[in-house]
Amino acid sequence: DVYKRQTLPRDADGRTEWWGGRQHFSHSSATYRHYAAAITEDLAARYAGHPALTLWHINNEYCTTDHGDEAAAAFRRWLRTRYGSLDALNTAWGTAFWSQGYDTWDGILPPRRAHYLNNPAQVLDFRRFTSDMLLECYIAERDIVARHTPHIPVTTNFMPLWIGQDGWRWAGQEDVVSVDLYPDPGDPLGAQHGALVQDLTRSQANGPWMLMEQAAGAVSWRRVNRPKPRGLNRLWSLQAVARGADAVCYFQWRQSRQGAEKYHSAMLGHAGEEGRSHQEIRQLGAELALIGAEVAGRHSRAEVAVLHDWNAWWAGVQEGRPSAEVDPAAVLGAWHRALWEANVATDFAHPEHDLTGYALVVVPQLHLLTDAAIDNLLAYVDGGGTLVAGFLTGVADEDDRVRPGGMDARLRTLFGIRVLHEWWPLDAGETVACDGFLGTLWSEEIEAADDVSETVPYQGGELDGMPAVLRRGRAWYVSTLPEPDALRGLLSVVADDAGVRPVLAGLPAGVEAVRRGELLFLLHHGRDPVTVDVPGTQRDLLTGETVTGRLTLGRYGAAVLKP
């Protein structure tokens, strides 16, 4: 019990999160790390020579945080390494505001509950620290199993678009990048959420990846837990394969009869072997065997990169921001949805990655951009690339310090913004009229520069006549969030101008086309049959039939076509 208490985390109120659930550990606890390493050592030694050993999976869904005393000491060590001196830390955190300056390292604590707003730069660094401490835990166990079995790959599973881990840093430490994915079967945009997570995971892996967990049917944590309708599990599994997965797995094998997740579905559920979900999984396994040799290890790179950075996300959700209605993850989803519905294939990239191979780079929102990232974007456009960015991009530097002018001056010049006078956030449900569409969530009082190539003005209200959308050469800036149809139309125009074409033109609504290597996946996310025009003569690997010119897809239908 003493050892158990030494490993338990505390929340921002100082309350202990007690043993009895799951993930009840402090990432900074020396006791936890000691016993985790000891268990891993024993497991690796025992199973190193086992003929069935194919992959090591370290831990599960790293997601804990800790504000306790041992974490506080680790946080101070992390800050010493990052800043070197208190003067540098005080400058980075802007502690002159509210007289928060530190004259001793021992005075620094995690951002515990405060009477009013915590220092946002301190909160940002604490998020970075937490991600790094969890990564240290993973690396320590990874290195143990790698020492015993250097030929066996190692992974740990991400949660989908999870805010708590810097996914780019973590992916670089994995042999296989894996993710858990649980779209809501009742969500009309469930398939789009799946596509976003799959595109992001493939991009983190820079190639094939692993779907570590999905549900055979219903989950157990939503307010209403719907099962997957007949055929949807197969469709969403094939969507993952189309978008780069080399493995499709489930949580869990046999549905538990007791415990907190006894109502979470499984490959073998409470209905037994005769259950629909189990029969569908058997069918899926047979179909994956038909296409496995044709897709395994193959990777297709898109012509469009969507930029995402966890540091910018963390900075963008701070307290005291202009609008609590702005959720960076939701904005990212809206822009990805527009491209997905336009049937434009997308990768994801970090803003400091090499972007030269992309015809179009899309920045839905990156509140925080380093100087290196900005230089990278400028060089990309200067080299002939097309860039389109959304509002609240380039507002702050890496310390979450607002840049003069409310947006980096280099970006303002790039987009043709002479002055960004004011941000005008919108209430939930409020819209602003623009020429040809309605904007949501946000608007900006912008004065355009004289050399702007094109503008779309606001109409009426305080911003009447001011630009909602600007283009200067190959750089576009969108100062609101257009409604879905309008955003899809705008990005389709920008993509076409950049020379990017849909994977397959003229698709019926709800049909997704994805290329992986030489294969063309057609995925129908609707219930009513549709007819799809396909190029030339091809063979459907799922049925063995020859398809020439036209193909009919039934309810949640799919085809995998090979020329």
Side-chain angles (χ1 to χ4, degrees), residues 17-273:
E17 296 180 354
W18 293 101
W19 180 88
R22 55 175 278 190
Q23 302 285 20
H24 40 256
F25 70 91
S26 166
H27 48 62
S28 299
S29 165
T31 302
Y32 166 75
R33 292 192 177 199
H34 169 76
Y35 282 104
I39 292 170
T40 304
E41 186 73 44
D42 288 348
L43 284 170
R46 177 171 180 175
Y47 292 105
H50 198 290
L53 181 62
T54 303
L55 175 75
W56 287 108
H57 177 200
I58 304 295
N59 208 296
N60 177 65
E61 296 183 341
Y62 280 100
C63 62
T64 57
T65 187
D66 184 20
H67 295 73
D69 292 341
E70 201 163 1
F75 187 37
R76 289 190 282 269
R77 291 193 295 271
W78 184 91
L79 292 170
R80 279 179 179 266
T81 300
R82 180 175 178 84
Y83 294 109
S85 71
L86 285 169
D87 286 344
L89 179 139
N90 282 313
T91 298
W93 284 11
T95 57
F97 187 78
W98 283 349
S99 301
Q100 292 179 344
Y102 294 96
D103 57 7
T104 173
W105 291 103
D106 291 339
I108 301 173
L109 293 171
R112 295 171 177 170
R113 180 168 296 279
H115 179 70
Y116 190 43
L117 304 178
N118 287 107
N119 183 326
Q122 179 188 16
V123 174
L124 174 59
D125 268 347
F126 188 70
R127 288 187 181 273
R128 290 167 170 155
F129 156 78
T130 298
S131 178
D132 283 356
M133 289 303 100
L134 291 170
L135 184 57
E136 283 186 4
C137 291
Y138 163 73
I139 289 174
E141 295 181 48
R142 180 206 64 186
D143 288 351
I144 292 171
V145 300
R147 174 164 41 83
H148 285 271
T149 55
H151 59 294
I152 299 294
V154 186
T155 188
T156 188
N157 50 332
F158 294 142
M159 288 184 287
L161 198 60
W162 171 243
I163 194 172
Q165 296 166 283
D166 184 340
W168 297 116
R169 283 175 56 84
W170 278 69
Q173 299 296 332
E174 294 186 283
D175 299 316
V176 177
V177 177
S178 62
V179 73
D180 301 344
L181 184 54
Y182 293 99
D184 186 348
D187 181 359
L189 294 176
Q192 182 265 319
H193 172 68
L196 185 157
V197 173
Q198 293 155 15
D199 286 344
L200 177 59
T201 308
R202 183 189 66 252
S203 301
Q204 289 171 306
N206 194 29
W209 53 280
M210 179 179 186
L211 178 55
M212 178 69 77
E213 290 186 21
Q214 62 173 334
V219 297
S220 59
W221 65 82
R222 296 187 176 104
R223 183 174 177 272
V224 176
N225 294 292
R226 301 174 179 87
K228 289 180 176 177
R230 174 175 50 86
L232 190 60
N233 174 53
R234 171 183 181 262
L235 178 66
W236 283 359
S237 297
L238 288 172
Q239 184 192 44
V241 175
R243 292 180 175 271
D246 264 5
V248 174
C249 304
Y250 291 87
F251 176 79
Q252 50 195 322
W253 160 236
R254 185 185 296 273
Q255 197 165 7
S256 174
R257 294 176 60 198
Q258 288 184 296
E261 292 183 317
K262 59 182 175 290
Y263 294 115
H264 190 296
S265 61
M267 296 174 71
L268 186 61
H270 293 317
E273 293 184 19

Side-chain angles (χ1 to χ4, degrees), residues 335-360:
W335 281 62
H336 182 274
R337 173 190 173 185
L339 293 163
W340 181 74
E341 290 180 342
N343 201 30
V344 172
T346 57
D347 290 339
F348 278 81
H350 186 277
E352 294 182 17
H353 283 174
D354 181 6
L355 304 173
T356 53
Y358 293 104
L360 172 62

